[in-house]
Amino acid sequence: EADIYQTPRYLVIGTGKKITLECSQTMGHDKMYWYQQDPGMELHLIHYSYGVNSTEKGDLSSESTVSRIRTEHFPLTLESARPSHTSQYLCASSQRGRAFFGQGTRLTVV
Amino acid sequence: GESVGLHLPTLSVQEGDNSIINCAYSNSASDYFIWYKQESGKGPQFIIDIRSNMDKRQGQRVTVLLNKTVKHLSLQIAATQPGDSAVYFCAENNQGAQKLVFGQGTRLTINP
């Protein structure tokens, strides 16, 4: 199975706080992705990267930002969390089109 | 724009029966398709994939069928077991765009 890790698994944080969701993969994949998913609903692509120093916005508008300084690391940052950011965030990396997912971070902003 | 949708949001089957989960896609340029299984509290897990130069692919207890004429994809699970209970997503990829687009998901429930 894939080696892609997300931390934290669960996060409850107050409105206005800055947060960073971590994602790391040990497979050497160039492509990495962040998806946002409400429970039982479809996955929406919010950011992706084709390699180091490459980042692009996805199909769903998001107030978050990402960086890709190292191949294995693709953190997502929210500068000022709001209740509307409450959701599950899934990180993935891919090789030849097939994406491998982390366990996700369930974020609750109160 | 690109979209991948599923015909049914929920599917309930008897344990031991075969399950068929359907998916329609709209982007005729898509050339790679994947089925994922997502259990509660976990990330999506790869089940099986198929490229557009094929119309059928079989795995262990699962078969994916691709009909490019009507842009339809299906996942067949043989002898459904309680462990198959999950939400199933189809996803399409346009190699040119290199982005995976997901459908809405079908929740599969197994009745004992």
Side-chain angles (χ1 to χ4, degrees), chain B residues 52-66:
Chain B
S52 58
N53 60 352
M54 303 173 67
D55 54 20
K56 180 179 180 179
R57 190 156 188 234
Q58 288 183 292
Q60 186 177 11
R61 277 202 312 118
V62 294
T63 301
V64 56
L65 299 177
L66 175 63

Side-chain angles (χ1 to χ4, degrees), chain B residues 31-47:
Chain B
D31 53 10
Y32 179 58
F33 304 87
I34 308 176
W35 279 100
Y36 284 91
K37 173 185 180 183
Q38 187 175 25
E39 296 173 288
S40 181
K42 297 184 179 180
Q45 181 182 12
F46 172 89
I47 301 174

Side-chain angles (χ1 to χ4, degrees), chain A residues 1 9 31 33 35 37 40-43 45 48 50 59 88 90 96-103, chain B residues 32 34 36 38 41-46 49 51 89 93 95 97-104 107:
Chain A
E1 195 50 56
R9 286 292 311 277
K31 300 182 184 67
Y33 311 84
Y35 289 86
Q37 182 188 32
M41 302 297 287
E42 64 192 289
L43 283 72
L45 181 67
Y48 58 101
Y50 291 156
D59 303 319
Q88 172 158 264
L90 289 160
R96 292 192 296 272
R98 175 180 162 182
F100 298 86
F101 284 84
Q103 294 280 49
Chain B
Y32 179 58
I34 308 176
Y36 284 91
Q38 187 175 25
K42 297 184 179 180
Q45 181 182 12
F46 172 89
D49 59 359
R51 298 201 178 270
F89 292 94
N93 193 358
Q95 292 299 321
Q98 299 186 55
K99 292 188 295 181
L100 211 53
V101 176
F102 283 81
Q104 294 180 343
R107 181 175 298 279

Side-chain angles (χ1 to χ4, degrees), chain A residues 44-84:
Chain A
H44 294 284
L45 181 67
I46 53 175
H47 296 283
Y48 58 101
S49 167
Y50 291 156
V52 172
N53 295 325
S54 151
T55 60
E56 302 286 344
K57 288 191 178 294
D59 303 319
L60 180 68
S61 176
S62 174
E63 294 166 341
S64 57
T65 59
V66 291
S67 62
R68 190 87 183 277
I69 299 173
R70 303 198 316 267
T71 297
E72 61 271 21
H73 195 215
F74 191 40
L76 180 145
T77 298
L78 276 167
E79 291 292 333
S80 180
R82 294 209 300 266
S84 60

Side-chain angles (χ1 to χ4, degrees), chain B residues 8 20 27 41-42 50 58 68 75 79 108 110:
Chain B
L8 293 173
I20 299 176
N27 187 353
K42 297 184 179 180
I50 189 167
Q58 288 183 292
K68 294 182 288 293
L75 176 70
L108 178 64
I110 314 303

